[in-house]
Amino acid sequence: MAQRMLERNAITCSTAISACKSSGQWDQALRILGMMARGKVELNCMTCNTAISACEKGGKWGKALQLLVAMPQASMKSNTITFSAAISVCEKSGRWETVTRLRGVMARRQVECS
C-alpha cells in the first residue's frame, strides 16, 4: 500500500501542534514549530498561541516565555490569548513576579485583558 505524505503548510502544522497540546506533548509541539521555522512554513499568531498553550499544559513556563519573546522578532504581534496563556503557566508555576511583569507589558502595549 502506498503511503501519502501530507503537504507541510500552516494548516497541517497548526493542526499537529494542536493535537500535541491536547495530548500533553509540549516538546513535540515545539519540534513542529521549529520545523515550520526552518522549513519556511508560515508561522502565525494562532500557531504560536497553540504552542504556548501546549507549554502551559506541560507546566513549561520558561519555554512559553521564550515563544512570547520570540514572536516580535518573527514579525508576529502577540494578543490577549498569547498573554493569557503565558500568564496562566506562570501563575500555575508560582512565578508571581513574572505574572506582574507580563501584565505590565500588556498594559504598555495596550493589549486588552480577558
Side-chain angles (χ1 to χ4, degrees), residues 65-95:
L65 292 181
Q66 286 175 352
L67 290 175
L68 177 65
V69 168
M71 287 178 71
Q73 297 166 354
S75 300
M76 282 183 281
K77 189 173 181 181
S78 48
N79 60 23
T80 304
I81 295 167
T82 313
F83 277 97
S84 294
I87 287 170
S88 179
V89 69
C90 290
E91 286 174 338
K92 290 175 183 174
S93 301
R95 310 296 300 184

mmCIF file of all heavy atoms in Angstrom, residues 65-95:
data_model
loop_
_atom_site.group_PDB
_atom_site.id
_atom_site.type_symbol
_atom_site.label_atom_id
_atom_site.label_comp_id
_atom_site.label_asym_id
_atom_site.label_seq_id
_atom_site.Cartn_x
_atom_site.Cartn_y
_atom_site.Cartn_z
ATOM 1 N N LEU A 65 7.543 31.505 27.773
ATOM 2 C CA LEU A 65 8.055 32.877 27.713
ATOM 3 C C LEU A 65 9.028 33.051 26.553
ATOM 4 O O LEU A 65 9.052 34.115 25.926
ATOM 5 C CB LEU A 65 8.723 33.258 29.029
ATOM 6 C CG LEU A 65 7.787 33.383 30.230
ATOM 7 C CD1 LEU A 65 8.570 33.784 31.474
ATOM 8 C CD2 LEU A 65 6.662 34.363 29.963
ATOM 9 N N GLN A 66 9.824 32.030 26.260
ATOM 10 C CA GLN A 66 10.728 32.110 25.113
ATOM 11 C C GLN A 66 9.938 32.336 23.828
ATOM 12 O O GLN A 66 10.334 33.140 22.981
ATOM 13 C CB GLN A 66 11.565 30.835 24.987
ATOM 14 C CG GLN A 66 12.662 30.707 26.007
ATOM 15 C CD GLN A 66 13.387 29.374 25.913
ATOM 16 O OE1 GLN A 66 12.995 28.465 25.182
ATOM 17 N NE2 GLN A 66 14.458 29.243 26.682
ATOM 18 N N LEU A 67 8.838 31.626 23.688
ATOM 19 C CA LEU A 67 7.999 31.807 22.491
ATOM 20 C C LEU A 67 7.392 33.212 22.461
ATOM 21 O O LEU A 67 7.371 33.854 21.406
ATOM 22 C CB LEU A 67 6.885 30.762 22.450
ATOM 23 C CG LEU A 67 7.319 29.333 22.170
ATOM 24 C CD1 LEU A 67 6.131 28.388 22.294
ATOM 25 C CD2 LEU A 67 7.944 29.221 20.790
ATOM 26 N N LEU A 68 6.912 33.673 23.592
ATOM 27 C CA LEU A 68 6.319 35.013 23.662
ATOM 28 C C LEU A 68 7.336 36.076 23.246
ATOM 29 O O LEU A 68 7.023 36.977 22.464
ATOM 30 C CB LEU A 68 5.813 35.278 25.080
ATOM 31 C CG LEU A 68 5.214 36.652 25.359
ATOM 32 C CD1 LEU A 68 3.938 36.859 24.560
ATOM 33 C CD2 LEU A 68 4.947 36.812 26.841
ATOM 34 N N VAL A 69 8.556 35.952 23.743
ATOM 35 C CA VAL A 69 9.612 36.921 23.423
ATOM 36 C C VAL A 69 10.014 36.833 21.953
ATOM 37 O O VAL A 69 10.335 37.842 21.319
ATOM 38 C CB VAL A 69 10.833 36.695 24.353
ATOM 39 C CG1 VAL A 69 12.045 37.463 23.880
ATOM 40 C CG2 VAL A 69 10.482 37.074 25.785
ATOM 41 N N ALA A 70 9.982 35.635 21.387
ATOM 42 C CA ALA A 70 10.412 35.440 20.002
ATOM 43 C C ALA A 70 9.396 35.948 18.978
ATOM 44 O O ALA A 70 9.759 36.218 17.832
ATOM 45 C CB ALA A 70 10.697 33.961 19.743
ATOM 46 N N MET A 71 8.159 36.093 19.379
ATOM 47 C CA MET A 71 7.125 36.481 18.409
ATOM 48 C C MET A 71 7.416 37.800 17.702
ATOM 49 O O MET A 71 7.355 37.850 16.477
ATOM 50 C CB MET A 71 5.741 36.476 19.070
ATOM 51 C CG MET A 71 5.224 35.077 19.336
ATOM 52 S SD MET A 71 3.613 35.055 20.159
ATOM 53 C CE MET A 71 2.545 35.610 18.831
ATOM 54 N N PRO A 72 7.741 38.884 18.423
ATOM 55 C CA PRO A 72 8.024 40.140 17.709
ATOM 56 C C PRO A 72 9.238 40.023 16.783
ATOM 57 O O PRO A 72 9.272 40.646 15.723
ATOM 58 C CB PRO A 72 8.287 41.149 18.825
ATOM 59 C CG PRO A 72 7.694 40.561 20.047
ATOM 60 C CD PRO A 72 7.752 39.077 19.865
ATOM 61 N N GLN A 73 10.217 39.213 17.172
ATOM 62 C CA GLN A 73 11.396 39.009 16.333
ATOM 63 C C GLN A 73 11.028 38.331 15.021
ATOM 64 O O GLN A 73 11.724 38.484 14.024
ATOM 65 C CB GLN A 73 12.445 38.185 17.084
ATOM 66 C CG GLN A 73 12.965 38.890 18.323
ATOM 67 C CD GLN A 73 13.741 37.970 19.245
ATOM 68 O OE1 GLN A 73 13.809 36.768 19.041
ATOM 69 N NE2 GLN A 73 14.335 38.546 20.271
ATOM 70 N N ALA A 74 9.928 37.575 15.036
ATOM 71 C CA ALA A 74 9.435 36.909 13.828
ATOM 72 C C ALA A 74 8.321 37.720 13.169
ATOM 73 O O ALA A 74 7.543 37.193 12.371
ATOM 74 C CB ALA A 74 8.940 35.509 14.171
ATOM 75 N N SER A 75 8.225 38.990 13.531
ATOM 76 C CA SER A 75 7.216 39.906 12.978
ATOM 77 C C SER A 75 5.790 39.460 13.267
ATOM 78 O O SER A 75 4.890 39.645 12.451
ATOM 79 C CB SER A 75 7.424 40.089 11.468
ATOM 80 O OG SER A 75 8.700 40.615 11.220
ATOM 81 N N MET A 76 5.585 38.862 14.445
ATOM 82 C CA MET A 76 4.240 38.468 14.857
ATOM 83 C C MET A 76 3.829 39.293 16.064
ATOM 84 O O MET A 76 4.625 39.517 16.967
ATOM 85 C CB MET A 76 4.197 36.985 15.233
ATOM 86 C CG MET A 76 4.155 36.077 14.043
ATOM 87 S SD MET A 76 4.013 34.381 14.555
ATOM 88 C CE MET A 76 5.701 34.055 14.999
ATOM 89 N N LYS A 77 2.603 39.735 16.054
ATOM 90 C CA LYS A 77 2.079 40.524 17.161
ATOM 91 C C LYS A 77 1.335 39.598 18.123
ATOM 92 O O LYS A 77 0.468 38.839 17.714
ATOM 93 C CB LYS A 77 1.141 41.604 16.622
ATOM 94 C CG LYS A 77 0.720 42.592 17.655
ATOM 95 C CD LYS A 77 -0.072 43.718 17.027
ATOM 96 C CE LYS A 77 -0.458 44.722 18.103
ATOM 97 N NZ LYS A 77 -1.237 45.820 17.551
ATOM 98 N N SER A 78 1.707 39.671 19.390
ATOM 99 C CA SER A 78 1.016 38.885 20.405
ATOM 100 C C SER A 78 -0.334 39.526 20.705
ATOM 101 O O SER A 78 -0.534 40.714 20.470
ATOM 102 C CB SER A 78 1.875 38.768 21.663
ATOM 103 O OG SER A 78 2.360 40.030 22.038
ATOM 104 N N ASN A 79 -1.249 38.719 21.236
ATOM 105 C CA ASN A 79 -2.579 39.232 21.538
ATOM 106 C C ASN A 79 -3.010 38.772 22.926
ATOM 107 O O ASN A 79 -2.209 38.222 23.682
ATOM 108 C CB ASN A 79 -3.577 38.813 20.449
ATOM 109 C CG ASN A 79 -3.691 37.301 20.305
ATOM 110 O OD1 ASN A 79 -3.390 36.550 21.218
ATOM 111 N ND2 ASN A 79 -4.140 36.858 19.150
ATOM 112 N N THR A 80 -4.256 38.987 23.253
ATOM 113 C CA THR A 80 -4.780 38.614 24.565
ATOM 114 C C THR A 80 -4.596 37.126 24.836
ATOM 115 O O THR A 80 -4.217 36.733 25.940
ATOM 116 C CB THR A 80 -6.280 38.973 24.651
ATOM 117 O OG1 THR A 80 -6.440 40.354 24.376
ATOM 118 C CG2 THR A 80 -6.837 38.674 26.028
ATOM 119 N N ILE A 81 -4.842 36.306 23.842
ATOM 120 C CA ILE A 81 -4.706 34.851 24.013
ATOM 121 C C ILE A 81 -3.255 34.489 24.318
ATOM 122 O O ILE A 81 -2.986 33.666 25.193
ATOM 123 C CB ILE A 81 -5.221 34.117 22.755
ATOM 124 C CG1 ILE A 81 -6.715 34.364 22.593
ATOM 125 C CG2 ILE A 81 -4.913 32.623 22.827
ATOM 126 C CD1 ILE A 81 -7.278 33.956 21.248
ATOM 127 N N THR A 82 -2.330 35.107 23.613
ATOM 128 C CA THR A 82 -0.909 34.857 23.827
ATOM 129 C C THR A 82 -0.534 35.144 25.273
ATOM 130 O O THR A 82 0.060 34.301 25.961
ATOM 131 C CB THR A 82 -0.050 35.764 22.913
ATOM 132 O OG1 THR A 82 -0.555 35.744 21.588
ATOM 133 C CG2 THR A 82 1.394 35.326 22.920
ATOM 134 N N PHE A 83 -0.864 36.345 25.719
ATOM 135 C CA PHE A 83 -0.507 36.752 27.076
ATOM 136 C C PHE A 83 -1.249 35.935 28.124
ATOM 137 O O PHE A 83 -0.682 35.578 29.158
ATOM 138 C CB PHE A 83 -0.749 38.248 27.282
ATOM 139 C CG PHE A 83 0.383 39.091 26.775
ATOM 140 C CD1 PHE A 83 0.331 39.663 25.522
ATOM 141 C CD2 PHE A 83 1.505 39.310 27.564
ATOM 142 C CE1 PHE A 83 1.372 40.441 25.044
ATOM 143 C CE2 PHE A 83 2.559 40.089 27.099
ATOM 144 C CZ PHE A 83 2.496 40.660 25.838
ATOM 145 N N SER A 84 -2.509 35.620 27.871
ATOM 146 C CA SER A 84 -3.285 34.842 28.837
ATOM 147 C C SER A 84 -2.666 33.464 29.062
ATOM 148 O O SER A 84 -2.576 32.997 30.203
ATOM 149 C CB SER A 84 -4.732 34.691 28.369
ATOM 150 O OG SER A 84 -5.376 35.934 28.365
ATOM 151 N N ALA A 85 -2.234 32.822 27.992
ATOM 152 C CA ALA A 85 -1.607 31.505 28.122
ATOM 153 C C ALA A 85 -0.278 31.607 28.866
ATOM 154 O O ALA A 85 0.022 30.794 29.748
ATOM 155 C CB ALA A 85 -1.401 30.870 26.746
ATOM 156 N N ALA A 86 0.514 32.632 28.546
ATOM 157 C CA ALA A 86 1.801 32.818 29.227
ATOM 158 C C ALA A 86 1.594 33.152 30.705
ATOM 159 O O ALA A 86 2.290 32.617 31.581
ATOM 160 C CB ALA A 86 2.611 33.914 28.533
ATOM 161 N N ILE A 87 0.628 34.007 30.994
ATOM 162 C CA ILE A 87 0.332 34.358 32.387
ATOM 163 C C ILE A 87 -0.170 33.135 33.149
ATOM 164 O O ILE A 87 0.236 32.879 34.289
ATOM 165 C CB ILE A 87 -0.671 35.528 32.453
ATOM 166 C CG1 ILE A 87 0.027 36.828 32.039
ATOM 167 C CG2 ILE A 87 -1.300 35.657 33.845
ATOM 168 C CD1 ILE A 87 -0.908 38.004 31.829
ATOM 169 N N SER A 88 -1.014 32.351 32.520
ATOM 170 C CA SER A 88 -1.573 31.163 33.169
ATOM 171 C C SER A 88 -0.488 30.169 33.574
ATOM 172 O O SER A 88 -0.487 29.669 34.704
ATOM 173 C CB SER A 88 -2.580 30.487 32.235
ATOM 174 O OG SER A 88 -3.100 29.329 32.845
ATOM 175 N N VAL A 89 0.452 29.896 32.679
ATOM 176 C CA VAL A 89 1.503 28.938 33.029
ATOM 177 C C VAL A 89 2.402 29.495 34.123
ATOM 178 O O VAL A 89 2.858 28.752 35.000
ATOM 179 C CB VAL A 89 2.319 28.480 31.790
ATOM 180 C CG1 VAL A 89 3.175 29.592 31.240
ATOM 181 C CG2 VAL A 89 3.187 27.271 32.127
ATOM 182 N N CYS A 90 2.626 30.797 34.125
ATOM 183 C CA CYS A 90 3.436 31.411 35.181
ATOM 184 C C CYS A 90 2.705 31.367 36.522
ATOM 185 O O CYS A 90 3.317 31.114 37.562
ATOM 186 C CB CYS A 90 3.822 32.838 34.804
ATOM 187 S SG CYS A 90 5.023 32.904 33.457
ATOM 188 N N GLU A 91 1.392 31.613 36.506
ATOM 189 C CA GLU A 91 0.599 31.510 37.736
ATOM 190 C C GLU A 91 0.644 30.096 38.296
ATOM 191 O O GLU A 91 0.886 29.893 39.486
ATOM 192 C CB GLU A 91 -0.857 31.904 37.472
ATOM 193 C CG GLU A 91 -1.079 33.383 37.299
ATOM 194 C CD GLU A 91 -2.505 33.731 36.898
ATOM 195 O OE1 GLU A 91 -3.237 32.869 36.356
ATOM 196 O OE2 GLU A 91 -2.885 34.892 37.107
ATOM 197 N N LYS A 92 0.443 29.114 37.427
ATOM 198 C CA LYS A 92 0.444 27.710 37.863
ATOM 199 C C LYS A 92 1.811 27.281 38.392
ATOM 200 O O LYS A 92 1.900 26.363 39.202
ATOM 201 C CB LYS A 92 0.029 26.802 36.706
ATOM 202 C CG LYS A 92 -1.429 26.936 36.341
ATOM 203 C CD LYS A 92 -1.780 26.129 35.113
ATOM 204 C CE LYS A 92 -3.228 26.341 34.727
ATOM 205 N NZ LYS A 92 -3.582 25.682 33.458
ATOM 206 N N SER A 93 2.855 27.959 37.932
ATOM 207 C CA SER A 93 4.216 27.626 38.352
ATOM 208 C C SER A 93 4.692 28.507 39.515
ATOM 209 O O SER A 93 5.849 28.405 39.931
ATOM 210 C CB SER A 93 5.180 27.774 37.169
ATOM 211 O OG SER A 93 4.793 26.923 36.113
ATOM 212 N N GLY A 94 3.815 29.382 40.005
ATOM 213 C CA GLY A 94 4.163 30.240 41.128
ATOM 214 C C GLY A 94 5.146 31.349 40.780
ATOM 215 O O GLY A 94 5.842 31.865 41.651
ATOM 216 N N ARG A 95 5.201 31.728 39.524
ATOM 217 C CA ARG A 95 6.120 32.785 39.055
ATOM 218 C C ARG A 95 5.401 34.137 39.106
ATOM 219 O O ARG A 95 5.125 34.747 38.086
ATOM 220 C CB ARG A 95 6.603 32.474 37.638
ATOM 221 C CG ARG A 95 7.143 31.076 37.426
ATOM 222 C CD ARG A 95 8.370 30.768 38.197
ATOM 223 N NE ARG A 95 9.438 31.677 37.822
ATOM 224 C CZ ARG A 95 10.663 31.595 38.280
ATOM 225 N NH1 ARG A 95 10.995 30.660 39.129
ATOM 226 N NH2 ARG A 95 11.570 32.452 37.898
#
